[in-house]
């Protein structure tokens, strides 16, 4: 399973765009890039997944360059409620595969 | 949408005792997973539980310490045995697909709220 590397922590202010970059140099052909969000005292929550180029949903955007060795989670106009830990994972396709969590990025949004 | 619940939500236990954590899903799922999250740390996978077969444990976790049951497609239990203060953690269950419907693409899991265990 490909190992991921992301910043340990980030700080931002309300209304700003936040970009969290994750490195996954050993990503395999069948791997997807998945991001989870975890609030204190809650289980992780799936937020977005992509294979290549750009994916956007109501929560975030995910940018993946052509070589797929990194990805960037973009949170537009963050609010205080976006304060959480964000995990980047590389997840195999095909179903019923275990997830390996890295250290995650602790995002603090300030007023 | 489907709901994943865990019982108890938290507990305080004495060393040497055991705690059994229940995970209930309101729809049938194929795979269930158990994780441990120590204070301030990331999640570590303990084992994978498939209905009708023995759980598959990750390196560093053994069945004697973490016995798991998976009696049907909506329920699983994790027991943490012979508790010591080092077992103080949050224990989370997750499921592979809700309502039996897998989405295309990469692996996606849905997590319960966790059980916070403190061992004195």
């Amino acid at each position: 399973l490909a190992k991921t590397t992301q910043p340990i922590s980030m700080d931002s202010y309300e209304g700003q765009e936040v970009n969290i970059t994750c490195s996954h140099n050993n990503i395999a052909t069948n791997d997807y890039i998945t991001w989870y969000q975890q609030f204190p005292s809650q289980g992780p929550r799936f937020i977005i997944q992509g294979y290549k180029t750009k994916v956007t949903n109501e929560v975030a955007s995910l940018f993946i360059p052509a070589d797929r060795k990194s990805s960037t989670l973009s949170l537009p106009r963050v609010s205080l409620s976006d304060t959480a830990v964000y995990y980047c994972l590389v997840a195999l396709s095909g179903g019923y595969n275990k997830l390996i969590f890295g250290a995650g990025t602790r995002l603090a949004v300030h007023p | 949408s489907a709901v994943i619940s865990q019982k108890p939500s938290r507990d305080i236990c004495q060393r040497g005792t055991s705690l059994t954590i229940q995970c209930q899903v309101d729809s049938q799922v194929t795979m269930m997973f158990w994780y441990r999250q120590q204070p301030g740390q990331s999640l570590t996978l303990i084992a994978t539980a498939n209905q009708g077969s023995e759980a598959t444990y990750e390196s560093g976790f053994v069945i004697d310490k973490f016995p798991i049951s998976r009696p049907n497609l909506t329920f699983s239990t994790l027991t943490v045995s012979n508790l010591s203060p080092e077992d103080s953690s949050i224990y989370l269950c997750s499921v592979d697909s809700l309502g039996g419907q897998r989405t295309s693409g990469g692996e996606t899991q849905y997590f319960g709220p966790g059980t916070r265990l403190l061992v004195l």
Side-chain angles (χ1 to χ4, degrees), chain A residues 95-97, chain B residues 29-33 94-98 101-102 107-110:
Chain A
Y96 315 131
N97 295 296
Chain B
V29 295
T30 303
M31 304 294 283
M32 297 180 79
F33 305 84
S94 73
V95 303
D96 174 79
S97 59
L98 297 176
Q101 299 296 317
R102 291 214 74 257
E107 176 71 22
T108 301
Q109 293 179 13
Y110 303 88

Side-chain angles (χ1 to χ4, degrees), chain A residues 53-85:
Chain A
T53 62
K54 176 184 175 181
V55 179
T56 297
N57 61 23
E58 65 278 5
V59 176
S61 294
L62 179 60
F63 299 91
I64 305 168
D67 66 4
R68 304 199 328 121
K69 293 184 183 299
S70 67
S71 59
T72 298
L73 175 73
S74 181
L75 305 172
R77 294 191 298 277
V78 294
S79 64
L80 296 177
S81 62
D82 292 314
T83 295
V85 179

Side-chain angles (χ1 to χ4, degrees), chain B:
Chain B
S1 60
V3 174
I4 305 167
S5 61
Q6 288 185 230
K7 288 182 181 180
S9 59
R10 58 179 62 227
D11 206 344
I12 301 173
C13 299
Q14 297 295 322
R15 69 174 66 206
T17 63
S18 298
L19 176 70
T20 295
I21 302 167
Q22 299 178 2
C23 180
Q24 179 75 53
V25 189
D26 68 352
S27 59
Q28 294 183 343
V29 295
T30 303
M31 304 294 283
M32 297 180 79
F33 305 84
W34 286 98
Y35 292 81
R36 180 175 72 185
Q37 187 170 29
Q38 294 177 307
Q41 303 297 311
S42 182
L43 285 79
T44 301
L45 180 64
I46 296 172
T48 302
N50 192 3
Q51 193 267 336
S53 62
E54 293 287 327
T56 301
Y57 289 83
E58 296 299 303
S59 175
F61 297 95
V62 295
I63 188 171
D64 290 347
K65 175 68 175 177
F66 299 98
I68 288 172
S69 77
R70 181 78 201 276
N72 57 52
L73 292 174
T74 64
F75 186 78
S76 177
T77 67
L78 168 74
T79 299
V80 189
S81 305
N82 190 24
L83 290 167
S84 68
E86 292 72 33
D87 295 319
S88 297
S89 287
I90 299 171
Y91 292 86
L92 301 108
C93 70
S94 73
V95 303
D96 174 79
S97 59
L98 297 176
Q101 299 296 317
R102 291 214 74 257
T103 60
S104 60
E107 176 71 22
T108 301
Q109 293 179 13
Y110 303 88
F111 287 80
T115 295
R116 187 179 296 270
L117 169 62
L118 176 63
V119 183
L120 301 177

